[in-house]
Amino acid sequence: MNRFLTIISIVFICNNVTAQHKKQDTLKRVYMSLDSYKNQYKKPLTKNDSINFMIRGNDTLVLVENYVRPKGISVPYEYKDSTFLKYYQKIAFRTKGIDSIDKKQKMRYWKDDIKIYFSESVSKKTRKNLMSFATKIANEVDSLNISEVKQIESSNCIIYYFGDYEYEPRLRNNKKSDYYISWNGNNQIYRSSIKIDTELYFNEKLIGQKLKELFIGTLGHFSRINNFGCESYFADCYSENKQLTPVDIELLQYHYSYGICKGTTLEKFEKQHQQAKELLKTHNRKMSFYHPF
């Protein structure tokens, strides 16, 4: 009999925090990846442990008897085809170069709600336009909440113009409109700033277009690529008619989906997909990605 059929559950333990969840489960037999085991237990494996090792593809699975999951949420693997993943990896992991891809590149994302503060120079029309755009994104994307705040102390995203107070010192010497984001050790973005040159973008339409383009970038430190039509916000070409295309929405939804571990390197991202796809193809079972908190 194939030993694989004796597995009660296969889990991949992610290290990052997700939504609140009260349930704590005890499972009799669980296999987890060697990386997950080392991250969770922080203790050397014994000879007895190695007896129950299972090799799946390029990964080693470790048997954990009477495994007690930490509090968190378990999400089934979210399958995407290789074409979509190729585009996503270029955008989220900033790996444009085909011949010299850095496997240590990491994806960044917001865990906390985004709270936007506009400087006094930003007109009411521009504020309303950007917030309508941001609300549309939030309505389409799970785990992403966006709102406007009136007090700068309550914000974690600041939008301002050249000539305003320099809210973000690291944008002080920038000669062009740009954004700056900060993230923690788990690659979770916790602050962003967007600065617009109103001499170059001199009317409401131009300001609104540039502001939306930069705002999309702050949602994941995304790179733009040349695989899409120019109307896409992820396309590396100019258009006066940028819009949230279906593929833009799908990319953002996937970036904020918990059907894969968050904040990982490209190397780990690819490894997790390989393992999860093999399980799905060979045994028609979805791996679960468990996000402790």
Side-chain angles (χ1 to χ4, degrees):
M1 180 181 293
N2 190 333
R3 286 180 60 209
F4 192 81
L5 298 179
T6 67
I7 298 174
I8 301 301
S9 179
I10 296 181
V11 295
F12 200 105
I13 308 298
C14 301
N15 296 325
N16 297 320
V17 179
T18 61
Q20 292 185 0
H21 192 280
K22 299 295 185 183
K23 189 176 181 181
Q24 189 168 15
D25 297 325
T26 300
L27 303 176
K28 291 184 178 181
R29 292 170 61 86
V30 166
Y31 275 84
M32 67 172 60
S33 74
L34 186 58
D35 285 343
S36 290
Y37 184 91
K38 289 179 177 179
N39 286 333
Q40 181 162 343
Y41 291 100
K42 309 292 184 184
K43 64 181 181 180
L45 290 161
T46 67
K47 184 177 181 179
N48 287 337
D49 292 321
S50 65
I51 293 173
N52 292 307
F53 279 177
M54 180 181 296
I55 306 301
R56 302 305 301 174
N58 295 322
D59 204 5
T60 300
L61 301 180
V62 182
L63 175 64
V64 184
E65 297 278 4
N66 298 318
Y67 170 70
V68 179
R69 287 196 296 200
K71 292 181 179 179
I73 185 169
S74 181
V75 181
Y77 168 65
E78 182 172 347
Y79 174 85
K80 291 291 183 180
D81 64 41
S82 58
T83 300
F84 178 89
L85 290 176
K86 179 182 69 174
Y87 296 151
Y88 174 73
Q89 288 173 197
K90 286 183 179 182
I91 290 166
F93 293 93
R94 305 176 70 84
T95 57
K96 283 187 176 182
I98 296 175
D99 298 325
S100 57
I101 293 177
D102 180 4
K103 297 288 187 176
K104 301 301 181 184
Q105 285 279 7
K106 300 173 181 177
M107 64 90 81
R108 275 99 189 186
Y109 70 106
W110 286 88
K111 174 187 171 291
D112 295 330
D113 295 351
I114 301 174
K115 300 177 181 179
I116 302 174
Y117 173 81
F118 295 93
S119 75
E120 292 183 0
S121 298
V122 182
S123 72
K124 184 176 180 180
K125 183 176 181 179
T126 297
R127 297 182 193 195
K128 184 177 180 180
N129 187 23
L130 190 278
M131 289 310 305
S132 176
F133 180 74
T135 299
K136 181 178 180 180
I137 293 173
N139 288 340
E140 294 279 0
V141 180
D142 289 342
S143 306
L144 189 59
N145 299 307
I146 308 171
S147 62
E148 180 182 357
V149 295
K150 301 300 183 182
Q151 302 297 322
I152 191 170
E153 295 82 6
S154 303
S155 72
N156 53 17
C157 174
I158 300 175
I159 295 173
Y160 63 107
Y161 294 159
F162 279 39
D164 288 348
Y165 176 78
E166 290 290 351
Y167 293 98
E168 176 47 72
R170 284 158 291 198
L171 289 175
R172 184 188 302 274
N173 296 321
N174 273 37
K175 305 287 186 193
K176 63 178 183 178
S177 302
D178 206 350
Y179 71 81
Y180 191 92
I181 60 176
S182 301
W183 55 80
N184 62 23
N186 288 326
N187 295 303
Q188 296 163 342
I189 302 169
Y190 61 85
R191 186 173 181 81
S192 68
S193 299
I194 301 174
K195 183 179 179 181
I196 299 289
D197 179 0
T198 52
E199 290 191 5
L200 180 60
Y201 303 97
F202 52 84
N203 61 38
E204 295 283 356
K205 181 179 179 180
L206 293 175
I207 290 171
Q209 288 173 341
K210 190 61 179 178
L211 189 52
K212 290 174 183 177
E213 175 189 317
L214 292 175
F215 182 74
I216 287 285
T218 68
L219 298 181
H221 195 37
F222 297 125
S223 180
R224 292 185 294 173
I225 61 177
N226 58 10
N227 301 90
F228 305 141
C230 292
E231 69 277 6
S232 166
Y233 281 101
F234 291 109
D236 193 16
C237 51
Y238 175 76
S239 172
E240 292 184 357
N241 299 304
K242 291 282 188 185
Q243 55 186 289
L244 284 171
T245 66
V247 72
D248 290 354
I249 294 295
E250 186 178 3
L251 286 162
L252 287 169
Q253 288 173 336
Y254 185 71
H255 192 71
Y256 283 91
S257 163
Y258 284 90
I260 197 74
C261 288
K262 316 301 292 178
T264 65
T265 63
L266 175 59
E267 182 178 30
K268 288 184 178 180
F269 178 84
E270 290 179 333
K271 187 175 181 180
Q272 290 164 11
H273 272 283
Q274 180 183 8
Q275 184 179 341
K277 283 186 174 182
E278 182 183 355
L279 179 64
L280 186 62
K281 179 180 179 180
T282 307
H283 299 278
N284 197 29
R285 296 179 59 189
K286 282 192 175 182
M287 180 179 291
S288 292
F289 286 84
Y290 198 77
H291 303 267
F293 57 80

